[in-house]
Amino acid sequence: MPTPNADVRTLLAVQRTVGSVPGAVRTARGLSHLGEHALGWIAVGGLGAAFDPARRPQWTTVVVGAVGAHAASIAVKRVVRRRRPTHPDVRIGVGVPSKFSFPSSHATSTTAAALLIGRASGLPVAPVLVPTMLLSRLVLGVHYPSDVLSGAALGAVSAAVAVRLEKAAS
């Protein structure tokens, strides 16, 4: 078997350390379900828009940003077509909707949503939520570190675009 590259070595190290903490895999699965197709972030934005009318435009931007980020990640996945981790030592902890891993759609939509939720709520959501989601994708063995880091970068760009669209519409 060939020597694992840095991406695989880092993935395996996360699984051996963070992934071995009691409850880590269960928590990572919960985050996976929350972030699937950005549905959890769409719900948060929708609830914010419904219950915080004074900041409805910002909460609507959470929805637009999360959906846009997810769509952007899917478009990039279809172009890049990088396969998910297949190293025999990687433990896969959740089912996935596609065989492609780059970029992580969970990382992309979560980063966009967290930045935009923080903007709408005034709470520092991103520093807590983004690293947690990124680590969860590695704990579950469904992404390489470069997938989640690239996804986070794409999510940040998506959030900035969503804010520009919001401002242009007002």
Side-chain angles (χ1 to χ4, degrees):
M1 173 183 335
T3 303
N5 64 23
D7 240 4
V8 173
R9 288 193 308 272
T10 303
L11 170 56
L12 291 170
V14 168
Q15 287 197 323
R16 280 192 307 272
T17 56
V18 178
S20 68
V21 172
V25 172
R26 185 176 59 250
T27 300
R29 283 188 189 123
L31 283 168
S32 184
H33 296 305
L34 177 69
E36 193 67 42
H37 304 296
L39 294 176
W41 312 132
I42 293 167
V44 169
L47 289 169
F51 293 105
D52 187 3
R55 292 184 273 190
R56 185 165 288 138
Q58 291 87 356
W59 288 109
T60 302
T61 299
V62 171
V63 175
V64 170
V67 170
H70 182 72
S73 72
I74 297 301
V76 173
K77 275 184 197 272
R78 290 178 187 237
V79 171
V80 174
R81 304 177 72 80
R82 181 183 195 185
R83 299 282 181 179
R84 292 190 185 270
T86 58
H87 190 279
D89 293 338
V90 172
R91 293 181 315 275
I92 308 301
V94 69
V96 292
S98 85
K99 59 189 168 205
F100 301 125
S101 71
F102 183 91
S104 164
S105 295
H106 281 76
T108 305
S109 64
T110 298
T111 301
L115 291 169
L116 296 167
I117 291 166
R119 178 176 171 263
S121 68
L123 299 172
V125 176
V128 174
L129 187 56
V130 173
T132 304
M133 181 61 84
L134 272 58
L135 273 174
S136 78
R137 306 313 288 161
L138 303 180
V139 165
L140 294 173
V142 293
H143 285 287
Y144 297 103
S146 57
D147 297 336
V148 297
L149 293 173
S150 298
L154 180 57
V157 169
S158 298
V161 169
V163 169
R164 289 185 104 175
L165 291 172
E166 176 195 314
K167 289 179 179 179
S170 60

PDB file of all heavy atoms in Angstrom, residues 13-38:
ATOM      1  N   ALA A  13      -5.265  11.230  11.506  1.00  0.00           N
ATOM      2  CA  ALA A  13      -4.913  11.778  12.822  1.00  0.00           C
ATOM      3  C   ALA A  13      -6.152  12.348  13.516  1.00  0.00           C
ATOM      4  O   ALA A  13      -6.342  12.157  14.728  1.00  0.00           O
ATOM      5  CB  ALA A  13      -3.840  12.849  12.680  1.00  0.00           C
ATOM      6  N   VAL A  14      -7.015  13.031  12.779  1.00  0.00           N
ATOM      7  CA  VAL A  14      -8.250  13.566  13.362  1.00  0.00           C
ATOM      8  C   VAL A  14      -9.142  12.420  13.825  1.00  0.00           C
ATOM      9  O   VAL A  14      -9.705  12.463  14.919  1.00  0.00           O
ATOM     10  CB  VAL A  14      -8.986  14.493  12.369  1.00  0.00           C
ATOM     11  CG1 VAL A  14     -10.393  14.809  12.853  1.00  0.00           C
ATOM     12  CG2 VAL A  14      -8.192  15.777  12.135  1.00  0.00           C
ATOM     13  N   GLN A  15      -9.249  11.389  13.015  1.00  0.00           N
ATOM     14  CA  GLN A  15     -10.091  10.257  13.422  1.00  0.00           C
ATOM     15  C   GLN A  15      -9.538   9.574  14.671  1.00  0.00           C
ATOM     16  O   GLN A  15     -10.306   9.157  15.534  1.00  0.00           O
ATOM     17  CB  GLN A  15     -10.239   9.266  12.277  1.00  0.00           C
ATOM     18  CG  GLN A  15     -11.148   9.789  11.183  1.00  0.00           C
ATOM     19  CD  GLN A  15     -11.639   8.699  10.253  1.00  0.00           C
ATOM     20  OE1 GLN A  15     -10.911   7.763   9.929  1.00  0.00           O
ATOM     21  NE2 GLN A  15     -12.889   8.823   9.826  1.00  0.00           N
ATOM     22  N   ARG A  16      -8.202   9.471  14.779  1.00  0.00           N
ATOM     23  CA  ARG A  16      -7.595   8.820  15.946  1.00  0.00           C
ATOM     24  C   ARG A  16      -7.731   9.665  17.210  1.00  0.00           C
ATOM     25  O   ARG A  16      -7.792   9.114  18.311  1.00  0.00           O
ATOM     26  CB  ARG A  16      -6.114   8.543  15.697  1.00  0.00           C
ATOM     27  CG  ARG A  16      -5.835   7.323  14.861  1.00  0.00           C
ATOM     28  CD  ARG A  16      -4.353   6.934  14.893  1.00  0.00           C
ATOM     29  NE  ARG A  16      -3.474   8.036  14.545  1.00  0.00           N
ATOM     30  CZ  ARG A  16      -3.091   8.354  13.305  1.00  0.00           C
ATOM     31  NH1 ARG A  16      -3.500   7.642  12.279  1.00  0.00           N
ATOM     32  NH2 ARG A  16      -2.290   9.375  13.084  1.00  0.00           N
ATOM     33  N   THR A  17      -7.758  10.985  17.078  1.00  0.00           N
ATOM     34  CA  THR A  17      -7.794  11.866  18.253  1.00  0.00           C
ATOM     35  C   THR A  17      -9.223  12.349  18.518  1.00  0.00           C
ATOM     36  O   THR A  17      -9.894  11.819  19.393  1.00  0.00           O
ATOM     37  CB  THR A  17      -6.829  13.050  18.067  1.00  0.00           C
ATOM     38  OG1 THR A  17      -7.160  13.752  16.865  1.00  0.00           O
ATOM     39  CG2 THR A  17      -5.382  12.573  18.012  1.00  0.00           C
ATOM     40  N   VAL A  18      -9.683  13.305  17.772  1.00  0.00           N
ATOM     41  CA  VAL A  18     -11.023  13.872  17.966  1.00  0.00           C
ATOM     42  C   VAL A  18     -12.088  12.787  17.804  1.00  0.00           C
ATOM     43  O   VAL A  18     -13.033  12.718  18.588  1.00  0.00           O
ATOM     44  CB  VAL A  18     -11.281  15.035  16.981  1.00  0.00           C
ATOM     45  CG1 VAL A  18     -12.694  15.585  17.139  1.00  0.00           C
ATOM     46  CG2 VAL A  18     -10.246  16.135  17.157  1.00  0.00           C
ATOM     47  N   GLY A  19     -11.917  11.936  16.805  1.00  0.00           N
ATOM     48  CA  GLY A  19     -12.906  10.893  16.536  1.00  0.00           C
ATOM     49  C   GLY A  19     -13.006   9.833  17.605  1.00  0.00           C
ATOM     50  O   GLY A  19     -13.992   9.095  17.658  1.00  0.00           O
ATOM     51  N   SER A  20     -12.003   9.743  18.471  1.00  0.00           N
ATOM     52  CA  SER A  20     -12.045   8.737  19.537  1.00  0.00           C
ATOM     53  C   SER A  20     -12.653   9.279  20.830  1.00  0.00           C
ATOM     54  O   SER A  20     -12.846   8.529  21.783  1.00  0.00           O
ATOM     55  CB  SER A  20     -10.636   8.205  19.812  1.00  0.00           C
ATOM     56  OG  SER A  20      -9.837   9.217  20.396  1.00  0.00           O
ATOM     57  N   VAL A  21     -12.967  10.559  20.868  1.00  0.00           N
ATOM     58  CA  VAL A  21     -13.613  11.146  22.047  1.00  0.00           C
ATOM     59  C   VAL A  21     -15.035  10.585  22.146  1.00  0.00           C
ATOM     60  O   VAL A  21     -15.759  10.563  21.143  1.00  0.00           O
ATOM     61  CB  VAL A  21     -13.635  12.691  21.940  1.00  0.00           C
ATOM     62  CG1 VAL A  21     -14.474  13.305  23.052  1.00  0.00           C
ATOM     63  CG2 VAL A  21     -12.215  13.249  21.943  1.00  0.00           C
ATOM     64  N   PRO A  22     -15.448  10.137  23.322  1.00  0.00           N
ATOM     65  CA  PRO A  22     -16.809   9.598  23.456  1.00  0.00           C
ATOM     66  C   PRO A  22     -17.857  10.616  22.968  1.00  0.00           C
ATOM     67  O   PRO A  22     -17.822  11.784  23.331  1.00  0.00           O
ATOM     68  CB  PRO A  22     -16.943   9.340  24.960  1.00  0.00           C
ATOM     69  CG  PRO A  22     -15.532   9.121  25.425  1.00  0.00           C
ATOM     70  CD  PRO A  22     -14.693  10.056  24.574  1.00  0.00           C
ATOM     71  N   GLY A  23     -18.747  10.154  22.135  1.00  0.00           N
ATOM     72  CA  GLY A  23     -19.816  10.996  21.606  1.00  0.00           C
ATOM     73  C   GLY A  23     -19.449  11.785  20.362  1.00  0.00           C
ATOM     74  O   GLY A  23     -20.321  12.407  19.742  1.00  0.00           O
ATOM     75  N   ALA A  24     -18.181  11.759  19.956  1.00  0.00           N
ATOM     76  CA  ALA A  24     -17.755  12.572  18.806  1.00  0.00           C
ATOM     77  C   ALA A  24     -18.431  12.130  17.513  1.00  0.00           C
ATOM     78  O   ALA A  24     -18.903  12.974  16.740  1.00  0.00           O
ATOM     79  CB  ALA A  24     -16.234  12.532  18.652  1.00  0.00           C
ATOM     80  N   VAL A  25     -18.485  10.844  17.279  1.00  0.00           N
ATOM     81  CA  VAL A  25     -19.091  10.356  16.033  1.00  0.00           C
ATOM     82  C   VAL A  25     -20.590  10.641  16.031  1.00  0.00           C
ATOM     83  O   VAL A  25     -21.146  11.097  15.022  1.00  0.00           O
ATOM     84  CB  VAL A  25     -18.784   8.856  15.809  1.00  0.00           C
ATOM     85  CG1 VAL A  25     -19.564   8.304  14.628  1.00  0.00           C
ATOM     86  CG2 VAL A  25     -17.282   8.657  15.603  1.00  0.00           C
ATOM     87  N   ARG A  26     -21.239  10.429  17.149  1.00  0.00           N
ATOM     88  CA  ARG A  26     -22.679  10.703  17.242  1.00  0.00           C
ATOM     89  C   ARG A  26     -22.954  12.194  17.007  1.00  0.00           C
ATOM     90  O   ARG A  26     -23.877  12.560  16.270  1.00  0.00           O
ATOM     91  CB  ARG A  26     -23.224  10.261  18.599  1.00  0.00           C
ATOM     92  CG  ARG A  26     -24.724  10.410  18.722  1.00  0.00           C
ATOM     93  CD  ARG A  26     -25.300   9.873  20.036  1.00  0.00           C
ATOM     94  NE  ARG A  26     -24.716  10.527  21.205  1.00  0.00           N
ATOM     95  CZ  ARG A  26     -23.888   9.930  22.071  1.00  0.00           C
ATOM     96  NH1 ARG A  26     -23.542   8.677  21.907  1.00  0.00           N
ATOM     97  NH2 ARG A  26     -23.421  10.583  23.110  1.00  0.00           N
ATOM     98  N   THR A  27     -22.160  13.055  17.604  1.00  0.00           N
ATOM     99  CA  THR A  27     -22.313  14.501  17.408  1.00  0.00           C
ATOM    100  C   THR A  27     -22.052  14.875  15.957  1.00  0.00           C
ATOM    101  O   THR A  27     -22.787  15.671  15.366  1.00  0.00           O
ATOM    102  CB  THR A  27     -21.355  15.266  18.339  1.00  0.00           C
ATOM    103  OG1 THR A  27     -21.670  14.921  19.697  1.00  0.00           O
ATOM    104  CG2 THR A  27     -21.463  16.764  18.145  1.00  0.00           C
ATOM    105  N   ALA A  28     -21.019  14.289  15.378  1.00  0.00           N
ATOM    106  CA  ALA A  28     -20.697  14.567  13.975  1.00  0.00           C
ATOM    107  C   ALA A  28     -21.833  14.134  13.048  1.00  0.00           C
ATOM    108  O   ALA A  28     -22.152  14.836  12.084  1.00  0.00           O
ATOM    109  CB  ALA A  28     -19.391  13.876  13.587  1.00  0.00           C
ATOM    110  N   ARG A  29     -22.453  13.014  13.361  1.00  0.00           N
ATOM    111  CA  ARG A  29     -23.608  12.568  12.557  1.00  0.00           C
ATOM    112  C   ARG A  29     -24.772  13.549  12.675  1.00  0.00           C
ATOM    113  O   ARG A  29     -25.458  13.844  11.699  1.00  0.00           O
ATOM    114  CB  ARG A  29     -24.059  11.178  12.984  1.00  0.00           C
ATOM    115  CG  ARG A  29     -23.184  10.078  12.461  1.00  0.00           C
ATOM    116  CD  ARG A  29     -23.788   8.706  12.744  1.00  0.00           C
ATOM    117  NE  ARG A  29     -22.828   7.687  12.412  1.00  0.00           N
ATOM    118  CZ  ARG A  29     -22.382   6.756  13.250  1.00  0.00           C
ATOM    119  NH1 ARG A  29     -22.847   6.697  14.483  1.00  0.00           N
ATOM    120  NH2 ARG A  29     -21.489   5.877  12.864  1.00  0.00           N
ATOM    121  N   GLY A  30     -25.006  14.054  13.876  1.00  0.00           N
ATOM    122  CA  GLY A  30     -26.060  15.049  14.067  1.00  0.00           C
ATOM    123  C   GLY A  30     -25.795  16.309  13.253  1.00  0.00           C
ATOM    124  O   GLY A  30     -26.698  16.843  12.600  1.00  0.00           O
ATOM    125  N   LEU A  31     -24.558  16.771  13.263  1.00  0.00           N
ATOM    126  CA  LEU A  31     -24.187  17.934  12.451  1.00  0.00           C
ATOM    127  C   LEU A  31     -24.341  17.631  10.970  1.00  0.00           C
ATOM    128  O   LEU A  31     -24.754  18.486  10.188  1.00  0.00           O
ATOM    129  CB  LEU A  31     -22.749  18.351  12.756  1.00  0.00           C
ATOM    130  CG  LEU A  31     -22.545  19.103  14.058  1.00  0.00           C
ATOM    131  CD1 LEU A  31     -21.055  19.189  14.388  1.00  0.00           C
ATOM    132  CD2 LEU A  31     -23.169  20.480  13.987  1.00  0.00           C
ATOM    133  N   SER A  32     -24.023  16.412  10.586  1.00  0.00           N
ATOM    134  CA  SER A  32     -24.156  16.020   9.193  1.00  0.00           C
ATOM    135  C   SER A  32     -25.605  16.139   8.744  1.00  0.00           C
ATOM    136  O   SER A  32     -25.902  16.677   7.672  1.00  0.00           O
ATOM    137  CB  SER A  32     -23.658  14.582   9.002  1.00  0.00           C
ATOM    138  OG  SER A  32     -23.693  14.216   7.649  1.00  0.00           O
ATOM    139  N   HIS A  33     -26.518  15.663   9.574  1.00  0.00           N
ATOM    140  CA  HIS A  33     -27.942  15.742   9.235  1.00  0.00           C
ATOM    141  C   HIS A  33     -28.415  17.197   9.209  1.00  0.00           C
ATOM    142  O   HIS A  33     -29.177  17.591   8.324  1.00  0.00           O
ATOM    143  CB  HIS A  33     -28.777  14.903  10.186  1.00  0.00           C
ATOM    144  CG  HIS A  33     -28.478  13.439  10.097  1.00  0.00           C
ATOM    145  ND1 HIS A  33     -28.535  12.725   8.912  1.00  0.00           N
ATOM    146  CD2 HIS A  33     -28.078  12.554  11.040  1.00  0.00           C
ATOM    147  CE1 HIS A  33     -28.198  11.470   9.128  1.00  0.00           C
ATOM    148  NE2 HIS A  33     -27.912  11.335  10.406  1.00  0.00           N
ATOM    149  N   LEU A  34     -27.961  17.998  10.156  1.00  0.00           N
ATOM    150  CA  LEU A  34     -28.338  19.415  10.207  1.00  0.00           C
ATOM    151  C   LEU A  34     -27.885  20.153   8.950  1.00  0.00           C
ATOM    152  O   LEU A  34     -28.618  20.965   8.400  1.00  0.00           O
ATOM    153  CB  LEU A  34     -27.722  20.082  11.441  1.00  0.00           C
ATOM    154  CG  LEU A  34     -27.977  21.582  11.591  1.00  0.00           C
ATOM    155  CD1 LEU A  34     -29.440  21.836  11.900  1.00  0.00           C
ATOM    156  CD2 LEU A  34     -27.086  22.154  12.683  1.00  0.00           C
ATOM    157  N   GLY A  35     -26.681  19.848   8.490  1.00  0.00           N
ATOM    158  CA  GLY A  35     -26.127  20.562   7.344  1.00  0.00           C
ATOM    159  C   GLY A  35     -26.463  19.979   5.988  1.00  0.00           C
ATOM    160  O   GLY A  35     -26.119  20.572   4.956  1.00  0.00           O
ATOM    161  N   GLU A  36     -27.143  18.835   5.950  1.00  0.00           N
ATOM    162  CA  GLU A  36     -27.432  18.170   4.671  1.00  0.00           C
ATOM    163  C   GLU A  36     -28.244  19.079   3.755  1.00  0.00           C
ATOM    164  O   GLU A  36     -29.321  19.542   4.127  1.00  0.00           O
ATOM    165  CB  GLU A  36     -28.170  16.857   4.919  1.00  0.00           C
ATOM    166  CG  GLU A  36     -28.225  15.966   3.710  1.00  0.00           C
ATOM    167  CD  GLU A  36     -26.851  15.436   3.306  1.00  0.00           C
ATOM    168  OE1 GLU A  36     -26.068  15.049   4.197  1.00  0.00           O
ATOM    169  OE2 GLU A  36     -26.580  15.408   2.099  1.00  0.00           O
ATOM    170  N   HIS A  37     -27.716  19.337   2.586  1.00  0.00           N
ATOM    171  CA  HIS A  37     -28.346  20.196   1.574  1.00  0.00           C
ATOM    172  C   HIS A  37     -28.666  21.588   2.122  1.00  0.00           C
ATOM    173  O   HIS A  37     -29.584  22.251   1.639  1.00  0.00           O
ATOM    174  CB  HIS A  37     -29.599  19.544   0.990  1.00  0.00           C
ATOM    175  CG  HIS A  37     -29.346  18.192   0.410  1.00  0.00           C
ATOM    176  ND1 HIS A  37     -28.531  17.989  -0.676  1.00  0.00           N
ATOM    177  CD2 HIS A  37     -29.788  16.972   0.793  1.00  0.00           C
ATOM    178  CE1 HIS A  37     -28.484  16.694  -0.949  1.00  0.00           C
ATOM    179  NE2 HIS A  37     -29.218  16.057  -0.070  1.00  0.00           N
ATOM    180  N   ALA A  38     -27.961  22.011   3.156  1.00  0.00           N
ATOM    181  CA  ALA A  38     -28.138  23.325   3.798  1.00  0.00           C
ATOM    182  C   ALA A  38     -29.506  23.474   4.458  1.00  0.00           C
ATOM    183  O   ALA A  38     -29.892  24.587   4.836  1.00  0.00           O
ATOM    184  CB  ALA A  38     -27.879  24.461   2.812  1.00  0.00           C
TER     185      ALA A  38
END
